[in-house]
Amino acid sequence: MIDNLASNIWIFDYDLTLYGEDEREVLDSLDKRISLFVQNELGVSLDKASLIRKKYWKEYGTTLAGLRKEHQSDPQEFFDFIHTNDALIYPRRNSQKRDLIKSLKGHRVIFTNARKDWVEAGLLSMGIADLFEVIIDLEAVQWEGKPNIEAYKTAQELLIQEYGSQKVLSSSILYLEDSLENLIQAKKMNWTTIHVNSKGVLAKEIDYSLPNLLSLSMHLKNTFI
Ligand SMILES: [Mg+2]
């Protein structure tokens, strides 16, 4: 069971963590834009661009990381392009989700490989923007995102700047994320790892494994401290 303490720091990944597999169309709408960016940037067909998008995501953690490494693509141009489109889809409101997140005591922050504007638009769409204090996005970690360990160190530094070192070092940091690889790295930071949308995969590095975000409520031990 997880103690729901006022001293906790809850860190959420955004995509496929704060909304689930059942809203896959949200990420698909963004992936279409990423493929179009790759098509324009590299001058290849859309089919080829889609393959390159997946290849870079697999090899470098994100498509952007591969584009930067192999083609010196500009991250702001990349995000300006992929976030500008009327066909983008955002996650739906869900009152149970709002109640659950609101019930989590302590600080709530987001740590994402996306750029902030994508996350902010999604949080507004879900009606939960007011429940988070800080968004640590890819720009905040100098565009070198998860699973690069430096990104986690920078994220923790930013939390120290926000809340003070005493607070951060004495807190339980609980990290919710859909990517197993990203969680395994988080364990190296001594964060408590919660695998969301896990499909039942068990890994020894992972502390908790949940089929979806809402099932977190069954693991919470409510305390009055
Ligand atoms: Mg994710």
Side-chain angles (χ1 to χ4, degrees), residues 91-94 98 121-131:
R92 292 182 295 273
R93 271 168 201 262
N94 178 325
R98 184 176 165 85
L123 294 179
L124 281 174
S125 168
M126 287 187 275
I128 55 174
D130 58 312
L131 303 182

Side-chain angles (χ1 to χ4, degrees), residues 13-17 177-179:
D13 170 51
Y14 175 67
D15 288 294
L16 295 182
T17 296
E177 157 80 74
D178 65 292
S179 155

Side-chain angles (χ1 to χ4, degrees), residues 51-70:
L51 290 174
I52 293 171
R53 171 177 66 75
K54 289 178 200 155
K55 179 172 178 274
Y56 286 174
W57 178 79
K58 219 170 167 186
E59 283 178 21
Y60 296 96
T62 62
T63 305
L64 176 62
L67 285 169
R68 291 188 70 218
K69 195 95 178 170
E70 303 213 8

Side-chain angles (χ1 to χ4, degrees), residues 27-194:
L27 198 57
D28 285 347
S29 76
L30 191 65
D31 282 344
K32 272 187 203 145
R33 292 295 293 168
I34 297 175
S35 292
L36 275 172
F37 181 88
V38 173
Q39 180 186 25
N40 295 339
E41 184 86 343
L42 308 189
V44 295
S45 70
L46 191 56
D47 284 348
K48 183 89 196 290
S50 182
L51 290 174
I52 293 171
R53 171 177 66 75
K54 289 178 200 155
K55 179 172 178 274
Y56 286 174
W57 178 79
K58 219 170 167 186
E59 283 178 21
Y60 296 96
T62 62
T63 305
L64 176 62
L67 285 169
R68 291 188 70 218
K69 195 95 178 170
E70 303 213 8
H71 307 282
Q72 294 76 49
S73 298
D74 179 75
Q76 299 286 17
E77 272 177 30
F78 171 82
F79 283 115
D80 287 348
F81 179 88
I82 69 168
H83 292 167
T84 310
N85 190 259
D86 292 342
L88 286 175
I89 297 169
Y90 297 100
R92 292 182 295 273
R93 271 168 201 262
N94 178 325
S95 59
Q96 276 179 294
K97 188 188 289 184
R98 184 176 165 85
D99 291 347
L100 166 69
I101 296 169
K102 204 175 171 187
S103 77
L104 299 175
K105 295 174 190 165
H107 298 290
R108 306 178 207 109
V109 307
I110 291 173
F111 176 31
T112 173
N113 274 350
R115 197 176 65 180
K116 204 177 251 187
D117 47 321
W118 169 248
V119 176
E120 286 169 341
L123 294 179
L124 281 174
S125 168
M126 287 187 275
I128 55 174
D130 58 312
L131 303 182
F132 297 92
E133 294 171 352
V134 179
I135 299 174
I136 299 169
D137 72 348
L138 196 63
E139 187 170 9
V141 297
Q142 290 81 48
W143 309 112
E144 295 288 338
K146 304 174 271 186
N148 178 355
I149 194 71
E150 293 304 318
Y152 298 76
K153 290 180 185 167
T154 305
Q156 187 156 304
E157 273 306 311
L158 291 169
L159 293 179
I160 287 171
Q161 281 174 29
E162 189 74 24
Y163 302 123
S165 59
Q166 177 118 21
K167 168 92 196 165
V168 172
L169 299 176
S170 64
S171 294
S172 285
I173 298 181
L174 300 119
Y175 180 53
L176 298 99
E177 157 80 74
D178 65 292
S179 155
L180 202 52
E181 195 182 2
N182 291 353
L183 285 162
I184 289 169
Q185 289 290 77
K187 200 64 204 169
K188 295 178 186 163
M189 302 294 292
N190 274 326
W191 298 356
T192 298
T193 47
I194 304 172

Side-chain angles (χ1 to χ4, degrees), residues 181-212:
E181 195 182 2
N182 291 353
L183 285 162
I184 289 169
Q185 289 290 77
K187 200 64 204 169
K188 295 178 186 163
M189 302 294 292
N190 274 326
W191 298 356
T192 298
T193 47
I194 304 172
H195 192 191
V196 182
N197 295 313
S198 71
K199 302 189 188 85
V201 187
L202 287 175
K204 64 178 183 336
E205 294 89 347
I206 306 307
D207 298 299
Y208 298 91
S209 195
L210 312 176
N212 54 55

